[in-house]
């Protein structure tokens, strides 16, 4: 009888642990989806900030420090090269996503951008790069119930060579 009771208790314990494991897995998937959605919002807002020179579009997606870093980058671009960038996020792929203590996340991405450079003063196009690939790390933090970007680092850039066949068709 005692062995049978022990078997029932052990079976219930195993079932309870399996149930908790399933709930943890579902919670992890929901957290990861929320982080990915926040990264998506941040990247599209970043493209807008570059294209409009207005960092206020980042208000809902980035920490004050990250907004200041983007603002400085845009000011440096204008002051040093006299350029304005029109940035279009073509897409991105999450390579790795880790959530720590439920409030910090590190996301490794491959981002694809179309970039057009314009003279800030005259507005004339100075150059264009299609399908520029950037390997990045985005640091996210859960603040007041929302995931926001607290930092973005570009690890590498890969600019594709022009396609001679496309150039011939266009010319």
């Amino acid at each position: 009888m005692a062995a049978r009771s022990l078997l029932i208790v052990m079976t219930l314990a195993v079932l309870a642990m399996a149930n908790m494991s399933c709930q943890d897995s579902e919670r992890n998937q929901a957290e990861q989806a929320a982080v990915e959605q926040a990264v998506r919002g941040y990247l599209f807002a970043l493209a807008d900030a570059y294209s409009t020179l207005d960092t206020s579009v980042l208000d809902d997606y980035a920490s004050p420090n990250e907004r200041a870093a983007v603002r400085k980058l845009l000011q440096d671009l204008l002051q040093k090269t006299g350029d304005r960038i029109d940035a279009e996020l073509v897409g991105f792929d999450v390579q790795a996503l880790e959530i720590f203590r439920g409030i910090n996340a590190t996301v490794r991405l491959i981002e694809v951008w179309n970039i057009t450079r314009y003279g800030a003063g005259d507005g004339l196009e100075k150059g264009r790069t299609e399908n520029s690939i950037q390997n990045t790390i985005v640091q996210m933090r859960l603040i007041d119930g929302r995931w926001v970007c607290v930092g973005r680092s570009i690890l590498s850039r890969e600019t594709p060579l022009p396609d001679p066949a496309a150039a011939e068709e266009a010319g």
Side-chain angles (χ1 to χ4, degrees):
M1 188 72 154
R4 185 171 183 200
S5 295
L6 182 61
L7 181 62
I8 291 172
V9 168
M10 286 177 40
T11 302
L12 290 174
V14 167
L15 289 174
M17 287 181 1
N19 186 36
M20 286 189 321
S21 177
C22 287
Q23 288 175 349
D24 285 347
S25 176
E26 288 172 7
R27 185 171 47 243
N28 278 347
Q29 288 176 351
E31 282 180 328
Q32 287 183 350
V35 170
E36 284 188 40
Q37 188 63 29
V39 167
R40 172 182 300 284
Y42 170 75
L43 290 175
F44 279 103
L46 182 63
D48 281 349
Y50 270 98
S51 298
T52 63
L53 300 176
D54 179 10
T55 57
S56 70
V57 297
L58 294 169
D59 287 354
D60 291 337
Y61 303 99
S63 70
N65 287 345
E66 176 62 9
R67 292 191 309 267
V70 172
R71 189 175 307 110
K72 182 178 180 342
L73 217 152
L74 293 174
Q75 289 170 346
D76 287 350
L77 185 65
L78 281 171
Q79 291 172 354
K80 292 179 182 173
T81 66
D83 289 351
R84 181 184 70 74
I85 300 282
D86 184 26
E88 175 195 359
L89 179 65
V90 176
F92 69 94
D93 185 46
V94 174
Q95 299 294 296
L97 191 158
E98 294 181 48
I99 299 173
F100 307 98
R101 296 181 310 217
I103 61 166
N104 294 302
T106 299
V107 187
R108 253 178 26 93
L109 302 167
I110 295 177
E111 303 170 7
V112 181
W113 294 86
N114 288 341
I115 307 291
T116 306
R117 287 178 105 81
Y118 295 97
D122 59 16
L124 295 176
E125 185 176 319
K126 295 172 90 174
R128 180 183 302 254
T129 305
E130 301 285 325
N131 298 315
S132 176
I133 298 170
Q134 296 181 356
N135 291 294
T136 62
I137 291 181
V138 177
Q139 296 293 128
M140 304 294 286
R141 179 170 275 245
L142 189 62
I143 300 174
D144 296 330
R146 289 182 315 126
W147 287 100
V148 297
C149 177
V150 294
R152 177 175 173 266
S153 300
I154 299 172
L155 303 176
S156 67
R157 287 186 176 102
E158 195 178 309
T159 303
L161 296 173
D163 180 7
E168 287 178 22
E169 288 176 17

